[in-house]
Amino acid sequence: MNRIKQLFEKKQKDILSIYFTAGFPNLNDTCDVIRELEANGIDLIEIGIPFSDPMADGPTIQDSGTIALKNGMTLKILFSQLIDIRKEVNIPLIMMGYLNPIMQYGFENFCKQCKETGIDGAIIPDLPFNDYINEFKPIADKYDIKIVMLITPETSEERIRLIDEHTDSFIYMVSSAATTGAQKSFDEKKQDYFRRINSMNLRNPRLIGFGISNKATLDAAQANASGAIVGSKFITLLKESINIKEAVKNLKEVLSK
């Protein structure tokens, strides 16, 4: 069974997923970050593929992508870094990136390499849903790569139910229509959105991302979904900390207070 499916069958609440940009802060940090996160109890990891035009990302993740690209990170190098990761790491791993570099690599080749390196799924924010259904899903299914779709407060109920019907891992529930970035709290409008999605009784579990940066936002996300995704805050800590170990230690501290 796919590791993402296994995780959500085993653990229905308080899942914590962490996003980081591959090749940041240094080109060869990728596997060290993954190992350190798993060692500290993280449930799921999203490995960001750096891209020159990341439209859904805020300044923090954009900057990390720019640095990673300057460091020389490419999909080919990323897959070569991950070739032996499953000898040490057991938690689900997801690639997150934009369509352009994935299509340049070749989508089937991408899925094949994901399978060979032990990647369990992919999040492609700019992949149109109809293209996913008609062209991408059959290829991803062939290699058992789960494609995770995003919803926002502006996503219609009809589209949400279609996504729920045609995916089978989890739904990435974006907390706002804005770009990524840390927030101190979720306002009543966001809380209404969380409650509205809860009332739909969707088949797939959900993780809430964008803006999770402290205990208040983490608790709010975990109270309204199966768990939360932290990205920008961890990127900031990777940049500010002495090393990866300290960055993960500091992450656990800021999420607990």
Side-chain angles (χ1 to χ4, degrees):
M1 183 189 293
N2 184 284
R3 293 179 193 88
I4 302 170
K5 296 279 286 182
Q6 287 180 336
L7 170 64
F8 283 94
E9 286 194 3
K10 182 176 69 175
K11 188 173 182 181
Q12 284 78 47
K13 293 292 291 182
D14 297 334
I15 289 171
L16 181 57
S17 175
I18 302 296
Y19 168 95
F20 76 99
T21 304
F24 174 85
N26 303 297
L27 179 63
N28 294 316
D29 284 342
T30 307
C31 292
D32 289 338
V33 172
I34 293 170
R35 285 189 288 261
E36 192 63 30
L37 287 170
E38 184 186 52
N40 281 271
I42 300 307
D43 299 298
L44 188 154
I45 297 173
E46 297 170 19
I47 304 164
I49 304 165
F51 180 49
S52 57
D53 188 24
M55 60 183 180
D57 295 328
T60 300
I61 293 179
Q62 283 189 25
D63 289 347
S64 70
T66 299
I67 291 168
L69 290 171
K70 286 179 179 176
N71 288 342
M73 178 54 74
T74 65
L75 253 180
K76 184 177 180 181
I77 289 172
L78 177 53
F79 279 125
S80 71
Q81 291 177 344
L82 295 171
I83 193 68
D84 292 322
I85 196 66
R86 284 302 176 193
K87 292 179 180 178
E88 304 173 85
V89 172
N90 297 310
I91 63 173
L93 301 175
I94 295 176
M95 291 283 208
M96 184 168 184
Y98 292 87
L99 197 53
N100 186 289
I102 293 172
M103 291 302 290
Q104 286 187 6
Y105 195 80
F107 186 70
E108 180 150 9
N109 192 33
F110 172 78
C111 290
K112 183 172 181 286
Q113 288 294 311
C114 283
K115 183 70 173 178
E116 290 178 359
T117 51
I119 299 296
D120 305 290
I123 301 170
I124 310 172
D126 57 342
L127 173 61
F129 184 69
N130 289 340
D131 290 352
Y132 158 71
I133 292 295
N134 296 321
E135 300 174 37
F136 291 80
K137 187 177 186 299
I139 299 170
D141 287 349
K142 175 181 174 183
Y143 296 96
D144 194 27
I145 304 301
K146 303 299 183 186
I147 304 297
V148 178
M149 304 301 290
L150 290 78
I151 65 171
T152 77
E154 279 69 45
T155 307
S156 69
E157 180 173 340
E158 179 185 18
R159 176 53 60 92
I160 292 170
R161 293 204 180 278
L162 276 173
I163 288 171
D164 192 43
E165 180 183 351
H166 292 285
T167 60
D168 66 342
S169 55
F170 69 93
I171 293 172
Y172 190 130
M173 189 172 165
V174 176
S175 67
S176 73
T179 57
T180 57
Q183 300 175 39
K184 290 184 178 179
S185 63
F186 290 134
D187 59 24
E188 189 59 30
K189 187 176 180 182
K190 290 187 178 69
Q191 299 281 356
D192 284 342
Y193 161 55
F194 297 159
R195 287 189 285 267
R196 175 169 62 86
I197 302 302
N198 275 332
S199 71
M200 291 178 67
N201 296 314
L202 299 175
R203 182 174 61 93
N204 281 292
R206 303 175 312 285
L207 295 182
I208 296 175
F210 285 42
I212 315 295
S213 64
N214 55 21
K215 190 175 189 300
T217 48
L218 176 66
D219 287 350
Q222 292 187 331
N224 287 281
S226 293
I229 300 164
V230 177
S232 296
K233 189 63 182 181
F234 183 53
I235 296 291
T236 298
L237 293 170
L238 278 173
K239 186 176 182 179
E240 294 176 348
S241 302
I242 296 171
N243 53 39
I244 294 166
K245 196 178 200 68
E246 183 184 85
V248 176
K249 175 176 173 286
N250 290 339
L251 176 70
K252 292 178 73 177
E253 286 181 2
V254 299
L255 294 178
S256 65
K257 59 185 180 183

